[in-house]
Amino acid sequence: MHRHPGEDCADTNSQTVPGSDGRTIELEVAILSKNQALAERNRDWFVGRGVFAINLMGGPGAGKTTLLERSISELQGVVSISVVEGDQATARDAERIRAAGASAIQINTGAGCHLDAQMLAGAVERLQPLAGSVLIIENVGNLVCPALFDLGEAARVVIFSVTEGEDKPLKYPHMFRAADVLVLSKIDLLPYLHVELAQMIDNALRINPKLQVFAVSAESGQGLDSWYGWVRRRGQHATIVKSAA
Ligand code: MG
């Protein structure tokens, strides 16, 4: 890490906190503002085409791909869905999405912990989502970095499973604050766990009172109709905005 001459000289006991260095912060600001400009270009493109873009975020194993598989097959003929998959490695999820009946492009981020607007632009150019369709971007699995990077989406959905524990919204507030929708997944497992669904929802709403919450199980199908209803309504709205423009 770069240090400015003279910095912290007076206090040899002070600790170096990552990101506390002036230059590190400047670089972060530059990266984020470049990303923001590209995200706005993506957003204009989606709006102009009436594509409803969802940024789907959540920890590894929260059930992101499983929710998508079931949504794609049950909304077939009702909503046209295509998917951009983000993972550090493998094309497994894109293959699962194609097997479920939707087109998909896989992005591998290597050491990277999130997708950015430039990666998305490249994937969308290849994917060419249809006018009036829904594009779902499954971000790299974690509750930290994806919250920082706008991709140009119209809605941010965080998916969080009941097996992850009641306290996660309090421990990872940025992700829950940045989201429009919370999908609480795997509720079919509740009888086997010592967690309270109401407490989980309450913790999430303490961080972000505006969150729209869907408690679902992609296994039993419980709660999925409300989630599908939201996807359909927002998808139709994107088409209306486009035709009014
Ligand atoms: Mg996945």
Side-chain angles (χ1 to χ4, degrees):
M1 205 159 97
H2 303 286
R3 310 282 291 155
H4 293 299
E7 194 179 49
D8 287 340
C9 283
D11 180 9
T12 49
N13 289 325
S14 74
Q15 285 186 326
T16 305
V17 181
S20 67
D21 180 286
R23 291 186 216 175
T24 310
I25 290 170
E26 275 171 34
L27 181 63
E28 281 171 7
V29 169
I31 288 170
L32 286 172
S33 65
K34 185 186 167 216
N35 182 72
Q36 196 58 47
L38 291 169
E40 294 310 334
R41 272 170 54 181
N42 289 347
R43 188 168 285 113
D44 286 347
W45 193 88
F46 294 137
V47 170
R49 218 169 150 81
V51 169
F52 175 47
I54 300 172
N55 187 356
L56 178 64
M57 300 174 283
K64 298 183 291 301
T65 316
T66 305
L67 177 71
L68 293 187
E69 285 174 314
R70 184 143 181 179
S71 303
I72 288 161
S73 77
E74 296 195 334
L75 287 169
Q76 211 134 46
V78 181
V79 182
S80 163
I81 298 177
S82 60
V83 177
V84 172
E85 279 292 343
D87 277 301
Q88 289 197 323
T90 83
R92 282 168 179 246
D93 283 1
E95 284 158 15
R96 284 172 62 185
I97 295 300
R98 287 183 205 117
S103 26
I105 296 278
Q106 180 78 50
I107 299 173
N108 283 145
T109 57
C113 57
H114 61 86
L115 295 177
D116 66 30
Q118 185 162 22
M119 293 174 197
L120 180 66
V124 164
E125 207 173 296
R126 288 167 61 201
L127 193 59
Q128 290 295 321
L130 298 173
S133 68
V134 173
L135 171 71
I136 305 182
I137 305 140
E138 184 185 328
N139 220 310
V140 180
N142 71 81
L143 287 172
V144 183
C145 328
L148 290 172
F149 287 80
D150 186 1
L151 302 178
E153 69 274 5
R156 292 175 154 205
V157 176
V158 58
I159 176 168
F160 169 53
S161 70
V162 295
T163 57
E164 291 174 70
E166 286 161 1
D167 55 356
K168 295 305 173 293
L170 307 175
K171 288 182 175 175
Y172 299 94
H174 296 290
M175 175 59 77
F176 290 84
R177 212 170 278 139
D180 305 293
V181 168
L182 167 63
V183 174
L184 266 168
S185 62
K186 307 191 190 182
I187 59 167
D188 56 302
L189 297 179
L190 279 170
Y192 311 103
L193 304 169
H194 297 283
V195 293
E196 290 292 331
L197 185 64
Q199 187 63 56
M200 280 188 135
I201 294 174
D202 200 57
N203 285 346
L205 292 176
R206 266 169 68 189
I207 299 297
N208 180 358
K210 289 185 185 153
L211 272 177
Q212 200 167 346
V213 182
F214 300 106
V216 309
S217 164
E219 210 42 56
S220 70
Q222 225 181 320
L224 287 176
D225 282 343
S226 314
W227 158 248
Y228 296 153
W230 179 83
V231 173
R232 287 179 64 173
R233 275 195 308 281
R234 292 295 307 267
Q236 282 162 0
H237 180 72
T239 315
I240 294 164
V241 170
K242 183 216 164 199
S243 51

